[in-house]
């Protein structure tokens, strides 16, 4: 029988029964999670992070890779059809980590079945799909969140702290890079022509979400999307400029950058901050490490902060060096389901990301800057 807590509407805490003063408070049972997909996103990111959350339990995985799941998560059930977990009354939360073009349909089916839902990025293919998902969540009274895990990158947390402190003054330029050197086109759906494929849908949502968190919607967007590699059939390069009243933001990713390494460069009226190298959590997860421990998320290449002193000279200064914290996302999901915290990455914020992605696609097609309409 399904546990009564699974029937709670999002934002409502369970009733608390009176107990003798000497009775210990029992720990609530973890929510059962069904993971749809066991490719890169499901295997490397979602399953380990769900497994590391005290409030969640990986109950089922929908995949054809039964042997891999049995090896990695022997307690989890393997299903061949998403409909099986949608119909299972023991499932509380569904995580959609399938190919991008399937996200909206699967998320809405899960919501209609009364499940809370997490959707891997990109949240949807376009604004219309994203709005339909939000409407379905509102009707079902369930939590709907996008997995924008790079809000919890060590470097982004450091940058956000610097801007909150006003350490750089008025920001004039922000350059956000995610470059790679992958000259051969892999044979996978992300690199084949089709809905939701290509680098703008893959890395674009991460960079878009981060800048929207820092500065909000821009006034206008200009996007240059390209296919640079031999044999490419999907976008493998983007350079996107976001225009704000005084600030200019540049989002950049390429697949033919052998000497790359720049992650952020931020320049303001009081100083500059630059960062090379990526947050270490993805590499740790790919290597099979499980989240946790004092060193989890510690960045071995912290950013370099230069600040203007009273003599008008730039001097190096100590800057914030927070640890990355991907596990915080699923801890917050569990709290949101019980009504004890806000939804991490609310669906309305994911919709704004899709507006930027969609506007970038239109700008690249038209080869001109496009205004962000209110």
């Amino acid at each position: 029988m399904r546990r009564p807590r699974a029937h709670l509407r999002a934002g409502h805490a369970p009733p608390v029964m009176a107990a003798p003063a000497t009775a210990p408070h029992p720990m609530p049972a973890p929510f059962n999670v069904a993971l749809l997909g066991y490719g890169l996103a499901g295997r490397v990111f979602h399953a380990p992070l769900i497994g590391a959350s005290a409030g969640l339990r990986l109950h089922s995985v929908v995949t054809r890779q039964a042997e891999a799941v049995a090896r990695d998560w022997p307690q989890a059930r393997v299903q061949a059809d998403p409909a099986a977990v949608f119909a299972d009354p023991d499932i509380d939360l569904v995580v959609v980590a399938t190919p991008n073009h399937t996200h909206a349909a699967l998320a809405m089916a899960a919501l209609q079945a009364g499940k809370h839902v997490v959707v891997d990025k990109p949240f949807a293919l376009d604004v219309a799909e994203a709005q339909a998902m939000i409407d379905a969540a509102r009707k079902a009274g369930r939590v709907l969140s996008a997995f924008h895990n790079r809000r919890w990158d060590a470097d982004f947390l450091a940058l956000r702290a610097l801007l909150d402190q006003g350490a750089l003054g008025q920001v004039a330029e922000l350059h956000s890079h995610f470059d790679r050197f992958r000259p051969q086109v892999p044979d996978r759906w992300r690199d084949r022509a089709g809905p939701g494929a290509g680098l703008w849908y893959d890395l674009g949502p991460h960079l878009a979400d981060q800048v929207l968190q820092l500065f909000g919607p821009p006034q206008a967007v200009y996007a240059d999307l390209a296919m640079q590699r031999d044999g490419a059939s999907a976008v493998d390069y983007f350079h996107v400029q976001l225009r704000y009243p005084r600030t200019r933001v540049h989002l950049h990713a390429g697949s033919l950058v052998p000497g790359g390494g720049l992650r952020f460069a931020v320049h303001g009226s009081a100083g500059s901050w630059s960062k090379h190298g990526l947050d270490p959590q993805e590499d740790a997860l790919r290597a099979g490490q499980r989240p946790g421990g004092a060193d989890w998320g510690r960045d071995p290449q912290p950013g370099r902060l230069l600040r203007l002193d009273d003599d008008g000279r730039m001097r190096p200064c100590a800057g914030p060096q927070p640890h990355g914290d991907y596990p915080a996302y699923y801890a917050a999901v569990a709290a949101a389901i019980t009504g004890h915290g806000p939804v991490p990455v609310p669906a309305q914020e994911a919709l704004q990301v899709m507006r930027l992605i969609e506007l970038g696609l239109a700008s690249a097609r038209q080869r001109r800057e496009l205004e962000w309409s209110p």
Side-chain angles (χ1 to χ4, degrees):
M1 179 180 293
R2 188 176 186 180
R3 295 161 292 160
R5 183 185 57 190
H7 291 284
L8 289 171
R9 294 175 64 87
H12 292 265
V16 178
M17 305 300 293
T22 57
H25 293 287
M27 292 294 291
F31 292 107
N32 285 329
V33 182
L35 173 60
L36 309 187
Y38 204 65
L40 173 65
R43 174 178 53 82
V44 171
F45 290 96
H46 293 282
L49 295 174
I50 292 165
S53 175
L56 302 174
R57 170 177 174 262
L58 187 58
H59 179 282
S60 300
V61 181
V62 177
T63 182
R64 290 175 291 185
Q65 302 186 55
E67 292 183 3
V69 175
R71 179 188 67 242
D72 299 340
W73 305 95
Q75 82 287 355
R77 302 176 186 176
V78 177
Q79 301 283 4
D81 189 343
V85 299
F86 297 159
D88 188 340
D90 287 333
I91 298 298
D92 302 296
L93 171 66
V94 171
V95 176
V96 181
T98 53
N100 298 344
H101 70 279
T102 66
H103 286 184
L106 290 171
M108 286 191 288
L111 290 164
Q112 290 161 6
K115 314 302 183 184
H116 304 285
V117 176
V118 164
V119 184
D120 197 71
K121 60 79 199 169
F123 187 59
L125 292 185
D126 53 37
V127 170
E129 282 192 352
Q131 186 61 58
M133 295 158 70
I134 290 170
D135 293 343
R138 186 179 297 115
K139 182 177 180 180
R142 290 294 182 261
V143 168
L144 174 63
S145 177
F147 184 66
H148 284 300
N149 59 301
R150 292 196 175 274
R151 291 189 187 186
W152 290 270
D153 277 0
D155 48 27
F156 180 70
L157 293 173
L159 173 57
R160 191 162 199 171
L162 286 170
L163 297 186
D164 288 345
Q165 296 163 11
L168 303 178
Q170 170 66 44
V171 174
E173 301 177 25
L174 184 148
H175 302 259
S176 178
H177 278 239
F178 208 123
D179 295 319
R180 297 165 167 171
F181 184 58
R182 297 181 178 177
Q184 283 76 42
V185 179
D187 185 18
R188 58 178 191 168
W189 65 264
R190 294 178 190 275
D191 292 273
R192 301 189 201 108
L199 215 56
W200 183 230
Y201 272 104
D202 186 20
L203 299 180
H206 284 315
L207 305 191
D209 179 66
Q210 289 181 336
V211 74
L212 288 171
Q213 286 296 296
L214 296 177
F215 300 118
Q219 292 178 317
V221 175
Y222 177 80
D224 179 19
L225 312 182
M227 292 180 284
Q228 294 187 325
R229 293 176 294 180
D230 291 339
S233 59
V235 167
D236 58 12
Y237 164 95
F238 64 78
H239 187 86
V240 179
Q241 177 176 291
L242 311 183
R243 175 164 57 84
Y244 292 85
R246 294 177 63 182
T247 305
R248 297 294 183 267
V249 173
H250 304 270
L251 310 180
H252 184 95
S255 303
L256 294 173
V257 189
L262 178 67
R263 179 62 186 91
F264 286 110
V266 191
H267 308 294
S269 59
S272 292
W273 184 76
S274 59
K275 172 69 176 71
H276 288 73
L278 297 175
D279 176 275
Q281 293 176 91
E282 178 174 347
D283 283 347
L285 292 167
R286 283 177 180 268
Q289 297 179 34
R290 295 291 171 88
D295 272 349
W296 180 263
R298 184 183 65 82
D299 196 331
Q301 295 179 267
R304 181 171 183 257
L305 175 62
L306 297 173
R307 293 197 67 190
L308 197 66
D309 66 14
D310 293 337
D311 297 328
R313 290 178 293 183
M314 299 298 289
R315 295 187 184 276
C317 301
Q321 297 183 21
H323 286 205
D325 192 10
Y326 291 171
Y329 174 82
Y330 272 112
V333 168
I337 292 174
T338 62
H340 291 123
V343 177
V345 194
Q348 285 288 349
E349 293 179 3
L351 182 142
Q352 292 292 81
V353 173
M354 294 317 305
R355 288 189 69 189
L356 203 159
I357 295 298
E358 193 173 85
L359 198 60
L361 292 171
S363 170
R365 284 195 302 269
Q366 299 177 34
R367 298 184 181 180
R368 64 186 182 94
E369 183 184 74
L370 296 179
E371 300 287 330
W372 179 290
S373 58

